[in-house]
């Protein structure tokens, strides 16, 4: 029903942020937009990974991101992938990550204990997930790409693994280095991280940032030793109601590809020659590199089932948008329930019964 009266693009280009911004974020967004206007930052066309070049097959779903930054996000009706119609070129991308990215997305110039600890909590979840599906004693070396302050690596570090990571943000790297982590600035350096040297490579909300996912993923797989593992987590569109209750919170100008879904990623990773050990709709995957793996560059990510998934994703976006507007999302219902208990004087009693 909602599919008929909610029209795309849902989120128009109006410059208004959906999230609260501090002064640092506002200033850096302004700096970014000035560089775009002046031509210092340049954009290029971002083709769909399924090979679709018919623009009539693209639905414009959002004209901005959660920070209010103008960027057209299109849904491919052929494969169901949502991507930026245009992305920063490679030079502009590197400069953006060096100069504005962390300030805009985190809102702090320096990493903090809270930031590091939140990363470490996610790292502990990853550690436990890997341990559930893989013999953790087999994992001797762990490398994270886009590591930030390196907190995700910390639980592996504490378990005696040889950990390392890379990122563009120098200030955040220094924080992790102060914790005893081996982190370096910039892109992957094969002199520091040789091919086939890693038992586990982690990409936590990083793959959606890749300008050329197929090419970059091939380069990353080369770092993994034969029969060893890759852990990937990206935004999952069917997980909106559990994480970001408002769909636009997933839209970010740094996300070249904004939403994934399990079936798409299964096809994606298998097309790259990897074995899926574990995967879910949150889009967390554990993958294994076979001994006979070879580079798979000239491929398109598509099969005939994806068109039906594209229709489901269109409905999912509209449904979650409507739930957000009507405040019927589980997040709001939980908040409302807690407020009701508080007004009735029952909040402390219920918390005690729940052992909290």
């Amino acid at each position: 029903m909602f599919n008929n009266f909610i029209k795309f693009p849902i989120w128009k280009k109006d410059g208004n942020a959906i999230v609260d911004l501090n002064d640092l974020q506002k200033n850096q967004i302004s700096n970014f937009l000035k560089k775009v206007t002046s031509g210092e930052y340049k954009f290029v066309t971002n083709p769909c990974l399924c090979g679709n070049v018919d623009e009539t097959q693209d639905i414009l779903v959002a004209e901005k991101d959660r920070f209010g930054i103008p960027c057209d996000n299109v849904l491919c009706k052929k494969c169901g992938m949502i991507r930026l119609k245009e992305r920063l070129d490679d030079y502009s991308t590197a400069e953006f990550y060096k100069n504005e990215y962390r300030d805009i997305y985190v809102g702090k110039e320096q990493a903090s204990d809270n930031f590091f600890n939140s990363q470490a909590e996610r790292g502990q979840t990853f550690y436990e997930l890997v341990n559930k599906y893989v013999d953790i004693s087999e994992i001797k070396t762990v490398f994270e790409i886009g590591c930030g302050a390196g907190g995700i690596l910390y639980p592996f570090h504490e378990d005696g693994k040889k950990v390392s990571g890379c990122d563009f943000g120098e200030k955040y790297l220094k924080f992790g280095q102060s914790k005893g982590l081996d982190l370096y600035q910039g892109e992957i350096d094969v002199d520091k991280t040789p091919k086939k040297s890693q038992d586990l490579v982690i990409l936590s909300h990083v793959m959606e940032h890749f300008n050329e996912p197929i090419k970059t993923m091939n380069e990353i797989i080369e770092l993994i030793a034969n029969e060893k593992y890759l852990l990937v987590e990206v935004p999952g569109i069917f997980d909106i109601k559990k994480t970001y209750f408002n769909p636009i919170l997933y839209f970010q100008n740094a996300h070249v590809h904004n939403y994934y879904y399990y079936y798409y990623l299964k096809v994606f990773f298998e097309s790259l020659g990897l074995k899926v050990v574990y995967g879910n709709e949150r889009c967390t995957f554990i993958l294994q590199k076979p001994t006979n793996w070879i580079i798979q560059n000239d491929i398109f990510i598509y099969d005939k089932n994806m068109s039906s998934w594209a229709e489901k994703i269109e409905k999912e976006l509209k449904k979650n948008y409507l739930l957000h507007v009507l405040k019927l999302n589980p997040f709001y219902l939980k908040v409302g329930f807690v407020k009701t208990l508080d007004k009735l004087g029952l909040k402390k009693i219920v918390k005690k019964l729940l052992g909290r």
Side-chain angles (χ1 to χ4, degrees):
M1 180 178 69
F2 49 80
N3 206 42
N4 296 324
F5 65 83
I6 297 176
K7 304 297 182 183
F8 288 132
I10 296 174
W11 301 278
K12 304 293 178 63
K13 180 171 63 178
D14 55 13
N16 295 326
I18 304 301
V19 295
D20 293 330
L21 302 174
N22 61 32
D23 288 340
L24 174 63
Q25 290 172 304
K26 291 175 183 177
N27 289 336
Q28 287 291 52
I29 289 171
S30 177
N31 289 337
F32 169 76
L33 294 176
K34 285 176 183 176
K35 291 178 181 180
V36 170
T37 301
S38 70
E40 183 177 347
Y41 283 171
K42 294 179 172 59
F43 290 83
V44 295
T45 301
N46 183 36
C48 192
L49 301 181
C50 71
N52 174 40
V53 292
D54 181 1
E55 290 191 1
T56 65
Q57 292 294 301
D58 285 339
I59 303 172
L60 179 61
V61 297
E63 298 176 331
K64 68 174 183 179
D65 75 353
R66 67 182 186 181
F67 302 109
I69 296 172
C71 53
D72 286 349
N73 289 271
V74 293
L75 167 63
C76 176
K77 292 194 287 185
K78 182 179 177 181
C79 71
M81 173 53 63
I82 298 176
R83 71 187 195 282
L84 292 178
K85 187 175 181 180
E86 293 185 330
R87 62 166 176 83
L88 290 170
D89 67 17
D90 292 345
Y91 172 80
S92 303
T93 297
E95 289 299 302
F96 169 64
Y97 280 104
K98 288 177 185 175
N99 299 318
E100 292 98 20
Y101 173 73
R102 286 289 176 191
D103 291 346
I104 293 173
Y105 280 70
V106 182
K108 295 180 180 179
E109 291 182 321
Q110 306 283 349
S112 64
D113 284 324
N114 285 340
F115 178 81
F116 185 86
N117 290 339
S118 67
Q119 281 196 311
E121 287 177 11
R122 194 68 197 138
Q124 183 61 38
T125 301
F126 287 157
Y127 179 94
E128 292 170 4
L129 182 66
V130 172
N131 193 32
K132 183 176 180 180
Y133 291 95
V134 175
D135 182 354
I136 201 74
S137 66
E138 293 181 11
I139 306 297
K140 307 296 183 183
T141 53
V142 183
F143 180 63
E144 184 184 6
I145 299 161
C147 63
I152 283 176
L153 291 166
Y154 203 68
F156 295 91
H157 170 71
E158 287 190 311
D159 191 40
K161 314 300 182 187
K162 183 181 179 182
V163 304
S164 57
C166 67
D167 202 305
F168 285 107
E170 183 179 6
K171 294 176 182 177
Y172 278 74
L173 291 170
K174 285 182 177 178
F175 189 93
Q177 289 164 352
S178 73
K179 299 283 188 179
L181 299 175
D182 178 15
L183 312 176
Y184 62 85
Q185 187 180 20
E187 308 255 7
I188 299 166
D189 185 336
V190 292
D191 290 328
K192 297 176 181 177
T193 313
K195 294 180 180 180
K196 295 187 176 182
S197 66
Q198 301 301 311
D199 296 332
L200 175 66
V201 172
I202 298 174
L203 295 174
S204 176
H205 289 267
V206 170
M207 195 174 85
E208 63 268 29
H209 296 253
F210 291 160
N211 285 343
E212 298 178 86
I214 294 171
K215 176 178 178 291
T216 306
M217 287 301 296
N218 274 295
E219 293 170 355
I220 290 168
I221 296 168
E222 287 190 290
L223 305 177
I224 304 169
N226 291 340
E227 303 300 326
K228 298 303 183 181
Y229 304 94
L230 172 65
L231 189 156
V232 178
E233 184 170 86
V234 293
I237 191 165
F238 294 105
D239 197 57
I240 292 174
K241 57 185 176 291
K242 296 180 182 178
T243 50
Y244 290 153
F245 51 93
N246 183 352
I248 196 176
L249 294 179
Y250 266 129
F251 290 113
Q252 302 172 30
N253 78 308
H255 287 186
V256 181
H257 297 87
N258 260 307
Y259 281 107
Y260 288 89
Y261 56 98
Y262 169 82
Y263 186 79
Y264 181 95
L265 286 174
K266 182 175 184 295
V267 173
F268 180 90
F269 293 132
E270 289 178 346
S271 297
L272 287 171
L274 297 172
K275 175 186 175 183
V276 175
V277 177
Y278 169 82
N280 60 24
E281 281 297 356
R282 178 169 178 152
C283 292
T284 306
F285 278 75
I286 297 175
L287 308 148
Q288 187 175 32
K289 175 185 177 180
T291 301
N292 61 350
W293 181 84
I294 58 173
I295 290 176
Q296 302 287 341
N297 269 326
D298 299 322
I299 58 173
F300 292 114
I301 309 303
Y302 179 72
D303 80 4
K304 62 182 181 180
N305 296 314
M306 287 181 174
S307 296
S308 63
W309 280 101
E311 294 177 9
K312 294 176 186 177
I313 287 165
E314 182 179 351
K315 292 177 181 178
E316 187 74 5
L317 272 178
K318 291 180 177 180
K319 180 187 75 175
N320 281 285
Y321 171 72
L322 185 61
L323 290 174
H324 165 68
V325 170
L326 298 177
K327 298 192 182 299
L328 294 176
N329 187 281
F331 172 85
Y332 292 116
L333 296 177
K334 180 181 177 181
V335 170
F337 179 65
V338 171
K339 286 183 178 179
T340 301
L341 288 177
D342 198 25
K343 285 181 180 179
L344 294 173
L346 299 173
K347 182 178 176 181
K348 290 182 178 179
I349 296 173
V350 172
K351 286 181 72 174
K352 187 175 181 180
L353 290 172
L354 293 173
R356 297 180 180 178

